[in-house]
Amino acid sequence: MSAVAPVRVDDPLELPVDLALRAMTETDLPFLERVYASTRTVELAQTDWSEAQKADFLAFQFHAQHQHYQTHYHDAQFYVVEREAIPIGRLYLHWRKDELRIVDIALLPESRGHGLGTAMLRTLMTRAASLGKSVSIHVEQMNPAMRLYLRLGFRRIGEHGIYHLMAWGDTGQ
């Protein structure tokens, strides 16, 4: 009789067949900046800024966010999400004692609405549950993805400025 090896946080995630994760490198920064910018288009459409002003703002904001993540989540896993070997998004994970914090998850607009985010979240939820951990994420209050998190069973457990802290699983709350 052979024993099944326990699941570890660094074991590869079992994503749908056409999705893969690879570790982010410095050469991915232009792509990751594009992913970030794609999440801000609706917000920036409400400004009267020129395209150059928007581009400058987005570049500044991306680099500030990237530096923040690298500093405050230095031991996190920073992934580029690929579909059939083509980069389509980013997934940043921070494994904590009792929870998996999804630091960031974002897909390019053409990859949204096809169930890919749902599949990735379900995979993360399954992995976290197998390790006895909950899953948490900060979500902007007006983010359309809020419906997805609620549908998957996440609940609001806190508020931080414009963000709701959402959690799934046993959070001890």
Side-chain angles (χ1 to χ4, degrees):
M1 176 190 280
S2 65
V4 176
V7 175
R8 299 175 351 171
V9 299
D10 57 350
D11 286 345
L13 291 169
E14 297 289 329
L15 293 173
V17 292
D18 60 346
L19 290 180
L21 300 176
R22 67 169 173 76
M24 175 202 79
T25 67
E26 290 296 311
T27 61
D28 291 311
L29 290 179
F31 168 74
L32 296 170
E33 184 175 340
R34 188 166 57 107
V35 173
Y36 172 80
S38 78
T39 69
R40 307 287 302 268
T41 55
V42 172
E43 174 186 357
L44 289 179
Q46 299 174 30
T47 70
D48 59 359
W49 295 352
S50 70
E51 291 305 312
Q53 288 171 313
K54 290 176 186 179
D56 288 345
F57 173 79
L58 289 168
F60 176 82
Q61 290 290 301
F62 168 76
H63 290 286
Q65 181 191 68
H66 181 74
Q67 183 61 43
H68 174 81
Y69 288 165
Q70 295 297 307
T71 300
H72 295 282
Y73 299 98
H74 60 88
D75 56 345
Q77 298 167 317
F78 297 93
Y79 294 116
V80 171
V81 180
E82 294 183 330
R83 186 173 192 193
E84 298 176 356
I86 298 169
I88 63 165
R90 67 184 189 176
L91 177 64
Y92 301 165
L93 305 174
H94 189 236
W95 291 94
R96 300 173 174 196
K97 180 180 174 228
D98 296 322
E99 72 177 296
L100 164 58
R101 172 66 54 90
I102 301 172
V103 177
D104 198 293
I105 181 172
L107 299 174
L108 290 172
E110 58 270 21
S111 296
R112 297 178 197 152
H114 302 290
L116 304 175
T118 300
M120 287 192 302
L121 288 168
R122 286 192 172 139
T123 298
L124 294 170
M125 293 159 66
T126 299
R127 170 64 58 83
S130 74
L131 296 166
K133 297 179 185 289
S134 62
V135 180
S136 66
I137 185 170
H138 282 98
V139 183
E140 284 186 358
Q141 295 174 12
M142 301 306 289
N143 186 332
M146 182 69 76
R147 292 186 307 272
L148 169 62
Y149 294 109
L150 293 171
R151 190 174 73 240
L152 290 175
F154 283 75
R155 64 192 184 292
R156 295 180 186 115
I157 63 167
E159 196 169 308
H160 301 278
I162 63 169
Y163 297 94
H164 285 303
L165 177 59
M166 308 292 292
W168 175 87
D170 183 14
T171 60
Q173 301 266 334

